[in-house]
Amino acid sequence: MRSLLFSVSVLTLAATAALAEQPLPQPAPPSPAIQAARDVPYPGTLKLSVDATDLARRIFDIRQTIPVAKPGKFTFYYPQWVPGGHSPRNDIDKMAGLVVTAGGKRLAWTRDPVEVFAFHVDVPVGVTELNLSYQFLSPVEARVGRQVMTPDMLNLQWLQMGFYPAGYFTRQIPIEASVKLPEGFQFATALETARTEGQTTTFKVVPFETLVDSPMFAGRYFKSVDLDPEGPARVRLNMVADRPEQLEFKPEHIHAHKDLVQQAYKLYGSRHYDHYDFLVALSDQLGGIGLEHHRSSENNVGPKYFQDWDKGFVGRELLPHEFTHSWNGKFRRGADLWTPTLNTPMRDSLMWVYEGQTQYWGNVLSSRSNLLTKQQSLDSLAMTAATFDNRRGRDWRSVADTTNDPIIANRKPLSWLSYQRSEDYYSEGLLVWLDADTLIREKTGGK
Ligand SMILES: [Zn+2]
């Protein structure tokens, strides 16, 4: 026993002495910085063409052309931050098959080891454009992620489809996008059509910033209704469904959506779009979504939105919420949220305004347009208030701190929701603005 202890001590001493002579690990030098974005025009127009006809395998096949001004090191990005998602969650894991060529020759690409959404190539002398080919793989089952292609419809998000060059504000990068859709599909998007050839539609050139803010819904079973035929700007309710009978609506259903537009104009006294497209899926096949854009919104309201109209009201405030974002969120947004590129970190400190106030006005507009009855709207407010009466997380976490949740939690399931809190700036934010509204009424004697 004793001799064993002795020998261990000797070994330890020897090891310590050896360590003292070895240098301790030091950090590797930082990777070279990627060029910062400048607010100057990109020299050339990008082209992006998406073949969305592979419904059987749910694969988008994509070609992109990026003009380049000079030889040497060139960096392009896959978008990382999701506008309206308030987090760095874009689906780079579903981008595959990337091949870069120039003048018919394949160029090697490398991914940046720190900014893994950035790709580097060496542009040879004499080359004026890069040709990229790759695929976007829509999940084939829900556990892989949000399904954006089904046998009967698709949700094309340009944010998932296209790369853009580093070094420029995205509003300064012009791009021409086109899409080939399955036979018999109709589509809606805020983009404006330049030309149509067979199943392929080419859109007018827009800045990359506008392209990623203008997604598309397309489907075999499709209806579009003009919600403001006499108004100053065209507003359309565009619907795709799993089955044709799900698109059978009554006049009062459409009337409520028409009222929503008029009530929004009365409430806000302005509009900041030249046209607006509600993109609405009535589906339990397409992944769920409620995502705002300046001139459109992506909404999944479930397959029985019209069929079960009189049986419930949950989810009927979705369109008023997303429509409100055209004013609060897109035309105006928190200063620290706005970024010049999609790979610059967004900061969510004003989400209690961006989402909380939108949640409040969404509730008010739902009731004013008869998407909800006044009583349903009041019941919904009462349920929210009761929830926060018993929110234990309020003991340790401010509602302002929950504005970090899209980045730190990204809507993952939680074991102790009440104690942990989750994006409470939506509903507790709603109560803040209800309080502001009632205070204004009180202090002005209801004026
Ligand atoms: Zn929202």
Side-chain angles (χ1 to χ4, degrees):
M1 187 68 131
R2 188 183 160 85
S3 68
L4 182 64
L5 265 178
F6 172 78
S7 61
V8 168
S9 307
V10 168
L11 277 174
T12 310
L13 278 173
T16 309
L19 261 180
E21 289 156 23
Q22 294 282 334
L24 292 170
Q26 297 297 316
S31 294
I34 294 171
Q35 63 187 121
R38 291 176 304 144
D39 194 9
V40 296
Y42 187 73
T45 299
L46 280 60
K47 283 191 175 160
L48 177 66
S49 60
V50 177
D51 183 327
T53 59
D54 192 352
L55 297 174
R57 298 188 303 166
R58 308 188 181 200
I59 293 173
F60 296 85
D61 195 31
I62 309 167
R63 301 283 179 279
Q64 189 168 11
T65 304
I66 304 179
V68 287
K70 57 181 193 314
K73 192 185 162 188
F74 183 84
T75 303
F76 54 92
Y77 281 119
Y78 187 82
Q80 179 174 16
W81 288 77
V82 180
H86 323 308
S87 63
R89 63 154 200 230
N90 201 28
D91 300 270
I92 195 168
D93 54 313
K94 298 169 190 77
M95 186 281 295
L98 176 63
V99 173
V100 182
T101 57
K105 288 196 186 121
R106 193 161 170 168
L107 293 186
W109 55 261
T110 53
R111 194 188 299 253
D112 192 89
V114 175
E115 294 196 41
V116 294
F117 285 67
F119 297 80
H120 304 296
V121 291
D122 226 336
V123 177
V125 175
V127 161
T128 57
E129 62 178 36
L130 301 179
N131 301 105
L132 280 58
S133 75
Y134 49 96
Q135 294 86 40
F136 182 81
L137 314 174
S138 174
V140 294
E141 49 185 349
R143 70 181 178 88
V144 182
R146 179 172 175 263
Q147 299 180 71
V148 295
M149 194 182 255
T150 81
D152 300 305
M153 69 176 68
L154 59 92
N155 175 193
L156 192 163
Q157 296 184 318
W158 303 104
L159 189 75
Q160 296 175 326
M161 301 290 144
F163 292 91
Y164 70 97
Y168 296 82
F169 284 23
T170 51
R171 67 180 174 210
Q172 294 276 15
I173 303 169
I175 183 162
E176 183 191 74
S178 65
V179 60
K180 183 180 182 191
L181 290 172
E183 218 171 336
F185 270 42
Q186 290 176 272
F187 71 88
T189 169
L191 293 176
E192 291 161 15
T193 298
R195 59 185 183 277
T196 307
E197 292 148 289
Q199 289 161 243
T200 302
T201 303
T202 303
F203 298 101
K204 291 180 186 170
V205 173
V206 289
F208 195 80
E209 179 184 54
T210 304
L211 181 74
V212 299
D213 195 44
S214 310
M216 167 188 289
F217 275 21
R220 202 178 302 287
Y221 311 116
F222 176 94
K223 272 188 186 173
S224 183
V225 178
D226 194 341
L227 293 180
D228 193 17
E230 311 295 322
R234 195 198 64 208
V235 180
R236 291 187 308 184
L237 180 66
N238 308 287
M239 298 161 282
V240 291
D242 295 331
R243 309 292 322 142
E245 60 271 19
Q246 290 159 348
L247 292 175
E248 286 165 18
F249 43 73
K250 292 180 183 163
E252 62 260 35
H253 301 156
I254 297 304
H255 202 85
H257 293 86
K258 287 184 169 175
D259 274 355
L260 168 60
V261 178
Q262 300 312 318
Q263 289 296 334
Y265 290 164
K266 282 184 176 140
L267 180 61
Y268 303 129
S270 65
R271 62 174 168 83
H272 306 287
Y273 47 75
D274 48 0
H275 48 80
Y276 188 93
D277 284 276
F278 287 103
L279 311 176
V280 181
L282 290 80
S283 177
D284 54 14
Q285 305 294 306
L286 194 77
I289 193 164
L291 188 58
E292 65 272 23
H293 304 285
H294 185 72
R295 299 193 297 177
S296 63
S297 54
E298 296 166 275
N299 310 270
N300 190 341
V301 292
K304 297 189 170 178
Y305 186 61
F306 296 124
Q307 290 172 327
D308 283 355
W309 190 270
D310 299 324
K311 290 185 192 158
F313 65 92
V314 174
R316 214 122 86 209
E317 74 291 354
L318 179 63
L319 269 60
H321 177 104
E322 304 305 345
F323 193 37
T324 292
H325 272 314
S326 181
W327 288 262
N328 181 24
K330 291 298 170 178
F331 178 65
R332 289 281 183 257
R333 78 188 69 166
D336 62 358
L337 181 67
W338 185 89
T339 58
T341 79
L342 296 152
N343 293 67
T344 312
M346 294 175 185
R347 289 162 289 176
D348 295 346
S349 70
L350 285 168
M351 278 297 128
W352 62 277
V353 183
Y354 182 118
E355 293 293 4
Q357 196 179 58
T358 298
Q359 193 78 352
Y360 178 64
W361 290 126
N363 179 291
V364 169
L365 284 174
S366 303
S367 158
R368 288 187 184 169
S369 59
N370 291 318
L371 283 161
L372 302 184
T373 65
K374 185 180 174 189
Q375 192 56 48
Q376 287 167 340
S377 186
L378 292 173
D379 288 350
S380 165
L381 289 176
M383 194 175 76
T384 300
T387 299
F388 286 94
D389 273 348
N390 295 292
R391 199 62 137 191
R392 291 280 43 98
R394 298 180 77 228
D395 296 341
W396 71 274
R397 238 188 132 181
S398 67
V399 66
D401 187 59
T402 70
T403 63
N404 295 296
D405 270 359
I407 297 168
I408 63 179
N410 199 17
R411 299 196 176 177
K412 284 193 293 253
L414 303 169
S415 300
W416 302 99
L417 172 64
S418 179
Y419 188 53
Q420 290 173 274
R421 285 176 163 268
S422 170
E423 300 188 13
D424 285 0
Y425 54 84
Y426 276 90
S427 297
E428 197 174 331
L430 171 154
L431 296 173
V432 170
W433 292 101
L434 172 64
D435 206 18
D437 192 339
T438 53
L439 186 68
I440 292 165
R441 285 162 200 276
E442 211 175 283
K443 297 289 181 192
T444 61
K447 289 180 187 159

